[in-house]
Amino acid sequence: MRIIVAPYAGFCFGVERALKIVENVVQHSKLPVYTWGPLIHNKMVVERLQNEYEVIPIEEFDHPPGYLILRTHGVPPDVVDEAKRNKFIVVDATCPFVAKVHRYAKLLTDEGYTVVIAGDKLHPEVRATLGYVGAYAYVVGDRKAASLLPECKKIGVVAQTTMLMDVYKEIISVLVTKCDELKIFNTICSATIRRQEAGIKLANNVDVMLVVGDRQSANTRRLTDIMKQVNPRTYQVEGPEEVDPSWFNNTKRVGVTGGASTPNWLIDKVIDKVKSFRQ
């Protein structure tokens, strides 16, 4: 049984950058270090940061002041303001691709557009983006939701960085019928697109496809959904303990990929588990 790892599997640039920021703060500070919510959507990594570096995720300012590192998904501006009022030292680890969504959303608002965010309204990235546009925004996750929006004179659109491009195009095709003027920013992360394309190529050429990553990770869930469309024998696992040997009956080739918040060491552990099933 041959195991093939897809290109771009594992940490993306934004996650690697955030972890380096955390390590740098920890090494140079004697103050407590916190993150606003989990730094990334991978509980194993978050637990490791807490156990090895004493980096604590918080969502209330009821802790002794120290460094507050903003999560990769970003935070609404009022969180930063409140942190400073409570004497926390703010360090921004927002992914640059996410920060670009915030900038464009604010720009559209300032220019008088009704802002539409294509994404999941419950996702922290989208909630952070809403903080930059106030009440003048809608969040839609698909074509049907877009069709329910009222007509507006000017609509400006941004996408959650992990949004599927095909879904984004469908939403845009509806919005163009809803307004006189439509302004669109393509804010889908290029690393997400590359990861999806590489996964599709691999899934087409293997018997079984494994996607490694936390189920709270939007990009990992979407990656799994895409792989299943290509290869029905696709399984998402958070760690090696979830790998089922029955998946590999009559299997010659196994593909493995990982979400943007999945560390390489976790992918390696899953691969080792699969190797243990070889006859």
Side-chain angles (χ1 to χ4, degrees), residues 9 210 244 265:
L210 296 182
D244 187 335
W265 57 262

Side-chain angles (χ1 to χ4, degrees), residues 185-200:
F185 287 107
N186 177 14
T187 53
I188 297 176
C189 173
S190 58
T192 297
I193 296 172
R194 289 195 299 268
R195 190 183 311 273
Q196 292 170 355
E197 290 174 346
I200 290 170

Side-chain angles (χ1 to χ4, degrees), residues 240-252:
E241 67 283 351
E242 295 185 358
V243 180
D244 187 335
S246 68
W247 296 342
F248 307 99
N249 294 335
N250 302 315
T251 297
K252 293 182 178 179

Side-chain angles (χ1 to χ4, degrees), residues 160-179:
Q160 184 178 334
T161 55
T162 54
M163 167 66 68
L164 295 177
M165 181 58 77
D166 287 346
V167 176
Y168 193 33
K169 289 178 180 178
E170 289 178 357
I171 290 170
I172 290 168
S173 71
V174 174
L175 294 179
V176 74
T177 69
K178 295 278 186 177
C179 61

Side-chain angles (χ1 to χ4, degrees), residues 264-276:
N264 289 332
W265 57 262
L266 186 55
I267 294 173
D268 290 341
K269 283 188 175 183
V270 169
I271 291 172
D272 288 343
K273 185 64 177 289
V274 176
K275 287 180 179 178
S276 72

